[in-house]
């Protein structure tokens, strides 16, 4: 690996990149390949590829057990899982969500002619501020979708209190918190339901996939109907539905990755500590930390570039990309600044000062099982040198 010590060593100044192969924020973690290929053989041999097959059923049970929750309803991806959960809960009119989230949270509502109303976030946690949510409630509001971000839970109690007070439904986008807890209870039991994503770029993946976790028997049954066109047995459709089913090969990947989950968390945790030590001396750069008394997946390494930092966020991103380190600006510029939401409500940003500030400051750095301490030291030496270059 190349040593980066002076501004002349930087690719942004014409040197060769620090890494020949690109480093990705969303590099998939992959469990035991032989075990996966054995499952693939088993699936092909059985000629059962989809439609609530045995792999999906076993996978659902294991994910439910992992989260200490009654039901896991597996789906083809997290976005469809959000759409089905939203519909099964009967949300309509307006639903309050953060703008500081992946666009899927907003689209899952808009796709069903429900208006996402963006409320501001807390500067420290990056998740919905209950006070901000309170300001956005109107007679048309039917629900709140809290988003647990970066592997850390939202203010669940604060949001539940508002939902109770105003008789609103509460559900969570839990795409980032597979295997995490809130006040010692595993994610999955909060609100009416919580939605996971198993996309390739998530720390735990099934190629593509998602699931809804809930303790509500009736809700789970409705979602099972909805993900399979509303079929109840052969030739008998009893509910509106769509095709949200997870396929067998995706469940097989999930089972193999579940077997490796402890190693994946350990790799993320180890990387997080290396980043924490290496970044601690850099002026104006702060690392988002995890509460060690909870179950964490340490899925994302999130840094914030403060005003005291000699370099701007976008200069650092440019410098990292030049080195083949594909750091990301998630979730810049915020859903409210993207179409169709920017056209529907061009002034939404006036109510979202914290969202704007955080979206302008954040950088996500590569982590996961494909990263090691030497690579992280090089990533941080690039950032350190970029600051010198701009000091
Ligand atoms: N809610 C939240 C809060 C979410 O974050 C997401 C998804 C959802 C809901 C919806 O769940 P899904 O419907 O996706 O299950 C990526 C993912 O596509 C998306 O799943 C994820 N959030 C989001 C945070 O990240 P992009 O647009 O950044 O993807 P892309 O293609 O730029 O990939 C990211 C990096 O990973 C690149 O450097 C390439 C690398 N990569 C990607 C893939 C697919 C690989 O190395 N290998 C791969 O297989 O959205």
């Amino acid at each position: 690996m190349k040593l980066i010590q002076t501004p002349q060593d930087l690719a942004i100044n014409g040197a060769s990149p620090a890494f020949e192969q690109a480093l990705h924020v969303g590099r998939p973690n992959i469990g035991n390949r032989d075990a996966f290929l054995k499952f693939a053989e088993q699936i092909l041999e059985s000629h059962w590829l989809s439609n609530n097959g045995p792999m999906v059923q076993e996978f659902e049970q294991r994910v439910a057990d992992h989260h200490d929750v009654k039901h896991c309803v597996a789906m083809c991806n997290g976005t469809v899982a959000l759409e089905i959960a939203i519909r099964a809960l009967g949300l309509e009119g307006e639903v309050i969500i953060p703008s500081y989230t992946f666009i899927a949270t907003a689209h899952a509502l808009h796709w069903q002619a429900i208006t996402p109303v963006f409320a501001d976030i807390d500067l420290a946690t990056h998740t919905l501020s209950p006070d901000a949510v309170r300001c956005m409630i109107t007679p048309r509001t039917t629900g709140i979708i809290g988003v647990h971000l970066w592997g850390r839970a939202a203010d669940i109690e604060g949001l539940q209190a508002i939902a109770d007070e105003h008789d609103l439904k509460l559900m969570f986008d839990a795409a980032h918190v597979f295997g995490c807890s809130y006040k010692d209870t595993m994610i999955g039991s909060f609100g009416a339901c919580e939605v996971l994503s198993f996309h390739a770029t998530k720390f735990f993946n099934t190629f593509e996939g998602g699931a809804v976790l809930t303790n509500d028997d009736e809700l789970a049954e409705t979602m099972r109907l909805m993900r399979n066109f509303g079929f109840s047995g052969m030739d008998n459709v009893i509910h509106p539905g769509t095709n949200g089913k997870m396929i067998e090969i995706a469940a097989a990947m999930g089972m193999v990755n579940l077997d490796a989950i402890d190693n994946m968390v350990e790799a993320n945790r180890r990387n997080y500590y290396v980043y924490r030590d290496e970044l601690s001396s850099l002026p104006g750069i702060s690392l988002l930390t995890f509460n060690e008394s909870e179950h964490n997946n340490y899925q994302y390494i999130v840094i914030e570039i403060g005003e005291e930092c000699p370099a701007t966020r976008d200069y650092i991103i440019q410098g990292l990309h030049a080195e083949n380190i594909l750091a990301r600006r998630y979730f810049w510029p915020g859903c409210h600044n993207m179409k169709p939401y920017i056209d529907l409500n061009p002034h939404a940003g006036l109510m979202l000062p914290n969202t704007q500030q955080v979206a302008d400051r954040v950088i996500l750095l590569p982590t996961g099982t494909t990263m090691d301490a030497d690579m992280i030291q090089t990533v941080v030496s690039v950032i350190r040198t970029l600051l010198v270059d701009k000091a």
Side-chain angles (χ1 to χ4, degrees):
M1 231 167 303
K2 217 182 101 182
L3 268 183
I4 311 277
Q5 286 171 324
T6 69
Q8 288 74 40
D9 300 327
L10 292 169
I12 204 171
N13 292 332
S16 60
F19 295 93
E20 272 175 31
Q21 304 260 335
L23 305 187
H24 300 275
V25 168
R27 199 62 166 172
N29 295 320
I30 299 172
N32 186 301
R33 283 165 199 226
D34 290 339
F36 172 73
L37 293 173
K38 223 167 138 189
F39 274 140
E41 193 61 46
Q42 202 177 313
I43 291 167
L44 295 178
E45 203 52 45
S46 75
H47 284 79
W48 195 279
L49 308 184
S50 184
N51 289 18
N52 204 26
M55 290 271 175
V56 165
Q57 291 183 34
E58 190 180 340
F59 174 68
E60 286 183 330
Q61 190 57 54
R62 287 187 65 185
V63 173
D65 291 348
H66 194 81
H67 293 87
D68 208 10
V69 64
K70 228 167 148 184
H71 303 281
C72 165
V73 185
M75 311 258 187
C76 54
N77 61 55
T79 305
V80 168
L82 278 169
E83 287 169 8
I84 288 180
I86 286 164
R87 199 164 179 127
L89 275 178
L91 297 181
E92 55 186 2
E94 295 176 359
V95 171
I96 299 174
I97 65 169
S99 167
Y100 193 65
T101 177
F102 190 60
I103 197 70
T105 323
H107 279 354
L109 291 163
H110 180 75
W111 201 247
Q112 311 192 69
I114 301 168
T115 306
V117 173
F118 300 116
D120 211 3
I121 53 169
D122 181 271
L123 276 179
T125 65
H126 300 182
T127 60
L128 266 184
S129 148
D131 288 340
V133 168
R134 215 178 280 278
C135 296
M136 306 311 282
I137 295 173
T138 75
R140 295 191 68 228
T141 310
T142 59
I144 303 167
I145 304 179
V147 181
H148 306 305
L149 222 52
W150 312 141
R152 310 187 324 168
D155 181 351
I156 294 174
E157 284 172 350
L159 295 176
Q160 188 63 63
I162 297 176
D164 292 345
E165 212 177 294
H166 293 269
D167 201 17
L168 301 173
K169 302 258 174 63
L170 174 65
M171 59 174 272
F172 291 97
D173 177 334
H176 293 191
V177 286
F178 187 98
C180 298
S181 65
Y182 173 79
K183 299 198 173 171
D184 251 3
T185 299
M186 292 301 280
I187 290 295
S189 296
F190 298 105
C193 61
E194 305 199 65
V195 179
L196 298 171
S197 161
F198 310 136
H199 183 258
T201 57
K202 294 293 182 300
F203 118 91
F204 172 82
N205 85 85
T206 61
F207 294 102
E208 287 266 4
V212 188
L213 304 180
T214 183
N215 285 318
D216 183 329
D217 299 342
E218 208 177 315
L219 184 65
E221 189 47 36
T222 305
M223 291 189 295
R224 287 185 192 284
L225 283 170
M226 283 179 155
R227 76 169 172 186
N228 187 28
F229 312 102
F231 271 111
S232 167
M234 217 180 277
D235 306 328
N236 188 27
V237 173
I238 61 167
H239 208 282
T242 182
N243 185 352
K245 288 168 277 132
M246 174 176 273
I247 57 175
E248 289 290 273
I249 197 72
M253 181 68 150
M255 299 232 269
V256 166
N257 284 341
L258 264 177
D259 287 339
I261 196 110
D262 291 344
N263 292 342
M264 291 171 182
V265 173
E266 185 45 34
N268 284 349
R269 200 179 73 91
R270 191 193 59 216
N271 291 346
Y272 164 71
Y273 281 112
V274 179
Y275 269 119
R276 198 190 62 174
D277 293 348
E278 292 290 319
L279 288 162
S280 62
S281 59
L282 301 193
I285 294 191
S286 53
L287 173 72
L288 218 76
T289 55
F290 294 92
N291 178 350
E292 297 295 340
S293 64
E294 300 287 1
H295 290 276
N296 297 307
N297 60 26
Y298 304 93
Q299 167 155 216
Y300 291 107
I301 299 293
V302 183
I303 59 172
E304 281 187 62
I305 313 304
E307 274 165 17
E308 327 76 68
C309 184
T312 64
R313 189 271 303 264
D314 289 352
Y315 179 72
I316 296 173
I317 285 277
Q318 209 190 331
L320 288 167
H321 283 203
E323 308 288 350
N324 254 334
I325 303 163
L326 303 186
R328 299 296 295 253
R329 296 184 293 187
Y330 292 143
F331 288 111
W332 184 84
C335 297
H336 69 287
N337 282 321
M338 294 182 179
K339 282 181 186 278
Y341 313 107
I342 180 79
D343 297 331
L344 295 170
N345 185 0
H347 305 299
L350 293 174
M351 297 296 281
L352 304 169
N354 293 354
T355 300
Q356 205 65 57
Q357 199 182 124
V358 170
D360 287 345
R361 286 177 160 206
V362 159
I363 296 179
L364 273 81
L365 298 172
T367 184
T369 52
T370 56
M371 293 290 292
D372 62 29
D374 285 349
M375 293 159 93
I376 294 171
Q377 275 155 4
T378 303
V379 169
V380 178
S381 70
V382 168
I383 300 176
R384 188 179 296 116
T385 313
L386 284 166
L387 303 198
V388 173
D389 197 33
K390 271 291 165 185

